[in-house]
Amino acid sequence: MIRTLPNFAPRARSAALASLMLSAAVIAAPVQAQSAPDALAVARDAALRDETAFDFVADLTSQVGPRQAATEAEARARAWAVARLNAMGFANVRVEEFQMPTWVRGEETASIISPRVQPMAVTALGNSAATPVGGMEGELVVFHDLAAFDAAPDSAIRGKIIYIGHDMERTQDGSSYGAFGVVRFTGPGRAAARGASAIVIRSVGTDNHRNPHTGNTNFPAGVTPIPAAAVSNPDADLIERMAANGDGPVRIRLNLTPRNLGQQTSGNVIAEVPGSDPSAGIVVAACHLDSWDLATGAIDDGAGCAIIAAAAQRVAAMGQPRRTIRLLLAGAEEVGVHGGRAYGVAHAHDNHAVALESDFGADRVWRVSFKLPATAAALNTRIANYLAPLGIGRSNSPAGGGADIGALAAAGVPVIDLEQDGTRYFDIHHTPDDTLDKIDPQQIAQNVAAWVVTLSLLANAPETLGPGQ
Ligand SMILES: [Zn+2]
């Protein structure tokens, strides 16, 4: 049987790899029926049986747990990650600290008290103010969506507790988050600016469980924060039905005791597979290590860190790549992308060739999109061809990058998106349900396989990639 290695230097043929190729030839046959598999196809198909990523996130969620930004828990996560990445054989493993304003949750309870009593599943939004000691009560002014809120006169808002809903539905590409998440991103700030005393929103989520979805909100400069919380979708349904029934005002009781801790320390964890050609630039693979505090952050974003680490380890095992692969396990993404911004500042003068991010759960990659220089168009096709046997199609839209590589993308660094299936992501996102059992071992392994292909081709490509090259 004749084997070819079209994309790899001979050094990739280690003895271990040769034996892997022999054993994998049969396994790879269904997806490479026309010809014998090459080394990258073999590595890809071997990664479909990856257990390293699942074990990584299993250990992170059980040995560290929730990892709220700039808290003691996130510091433990950094120490855990440094030890784990060193044990996996990465080089230059280090922490790069930064300072940031820090908000932490307290107690949180809410109840409808009129026209009938119903306790609600509620959670404070990041940056929410506390309610007065002992909580607050008031009439809820109910708006089905932001447009209805915007259309209401200030006299209907001032001094009131505001409710705003939305119509978010599941989407494979996650686009409904951008469209309807604005209720959480800016709703509280807009209500505060118009004199509301507090705000309760329908959770930005697509499930029908009584799990509230937390997440950050931002108050504009000069606007004093108000208590801001999300209730579960079934509780939001009840609020809207009670308001529509017209049998008296809906009154609620709300008690939130979050605190601001001032400037605290967070940090990014960096690890590398050193390349052979420093002039070729760095391939950045990013995830975020922090999570919300309501659960163990399995899908958001323990999975992303597990995927990139497992994939980079497999690429390193194929032989030294041309480009350095740098893992960025960012701190403090959830509360304002502090880690990604700090990385962008600290490494503004690094020679970045291309950047990718995994931060959309652990379900399978279904589509790839590119934003590479026109001179690298052939590389797009090579990557897409190696991804196709994994069931991954090619998008016609340009890649956007992600939050933690946003600073790099804004600086002109090319980006690629390995887009994960987001159909059920927002059922779980930022809820107490973000736990390990939601990860399908086969789907997270498919992610690793897609990342092995993409990282390997990028790290070894002869094309010029980054803006500084
Ligand atoms: Zn995330």
Side-chain angles (χ1 to χ4, degrees), residues 288 300-301 333-334 359 425:
H288 66 87
D300 189 12
D301 182 30
E333 187 274 344
E334 294 291 3
D359 184 15
Y425 185 68

Short mmCIF file of all heavy atoms in Angstrom, two decimals, residues 288 300-301 333-334 359 425, ligand 1:
data_model
loop_
_atom_site.label_atom_id
_atom_site.label_comp_id
_atom_site.label_asym_id
_atom_site.label_seq_id
_atom_site.Cartn_x
_atom_site.Cartn_y
_atom_site.Cartn_z
N HIS A 288 -11.95 30.19 27.37
CA HIS A 288 -11.84 30.91 28.65
C HIS A 288 -11.99 29.96 29.82
O HIS A 288 -12.76 29.01 29.80
CB HIS A 288 -12.78 32.11 28.74
CG HIS A 288 -14.25 31.80 28.77
ND1 HIS A 288 -14.93 31.52 29.93
CD2 HIS A 288 -15.17 31.75 27.79
CE1 HIS A 288 -16.20 31.33 29.66
NE2 HIS A 288 -16.39 31.45 28.36
N ASP A 300 -19.41 25.88 29.26
CA ASP A 300 -19.01 27.29 29.12
C ASP A 300 -18.03 27.66 30.22
O ASP A 300 -18.42 28.13 31.26
CB ASP A 300 -20.24 28.18 29.16
CG ASP A 300 -19.94 29.63 28.81
OD1 ASP A 300 -18.83 29.89 28.31
OD2 ASP A 300 -20.81 30.49 29.03
N ASP A 301 -16.73 27.47 29.97
CA ASP A 301 -16.16 27.01 28.73
C ASP A 301 -15.08 25.97 29.02
O ASP A 301 -14.04 25.94 28.38
CB ASP A 301 -15.59 28.22 27.96
CG ASP A 301 -15.01 27.84 26.61
OD1 ASP A 301 -15.49 26.88 26.01
OD2 ASP A 301 -14.05 28.50 26.18
N GLU A 333 -13.64 36.14 31.08
CA GLU A 333 -14.38 36.42 29.85
C GLU A 333 -15.82 36.81 30.16
O GLU A 333 -16.36 37.76 29.60
CB GLU A 333 -14.35 35.20 28.92
CG GLU A 333 -14.95 35.46 27.54
CD GLU A 333 -16.45 35.27 27.47
OE1 GLU A 333 -17.04 34.66 28.38
OE2 GLU A 333 -17.06 35.75 26.49
N GLU A 334 -16.44 36.05 31.07
CA GLU A 334 -17.89 36.19 31.29
C GLU A 334 -18.28 37.59 31.75
O GLU A 334 -19.39 38.04 31.49
CB GLU A 334 -18.37 35.17 32.33
CG GLU A 334 -18.25 33.72 31.87
CD GLU A 334 -19.22 33.38 30.75
OE1 GLU A 334 -19.94 34.28 30.29
OE2 GLU A 334 -19.23 32.20 30.35
N ASP A 359 -15.56 28.42 22.17
CA ASP A 359 -16.37 28.91 23.29
C ASP A 359 -17.84 28.86 22.94
O ASP A 359 -18.55 29.85 23.01
CB ASP A 359 -15.96 30.35 23.67
CG ASP A 359 -16.71 30.86 24.90
OD1 ASP A 359 -17.31 30.03 25.61
OD2 ASP A 359 -16.70 32.09 25.12
N TYR A 425 -27.43 24.82 23.05
CA TYR A 425 -26.48 25.55 23.90
C TYR A 425 -27.18 26.50 24.86
O TYR A 425 -26.86 26.56 26.06
CB TYR A 425 -25.49 26.31 23.01
CG TYR A 425 -24.39 27.02 23.75
CD1 TYR A 425 -23.40 26.31 24.42
CD2 TYR A 425 -24.32 28.41 23.78
CE1 TYR A 425 -22.38 26.95 25.09
CE2 TYR A 425 -23.30 29.06 24.45
CZ TYR A 425 -22.33 28.33 25.10
OH TYR A 425 -21.33 28.98 25.77
ZN ZN B 1 -18.16 31.35 27.26
#
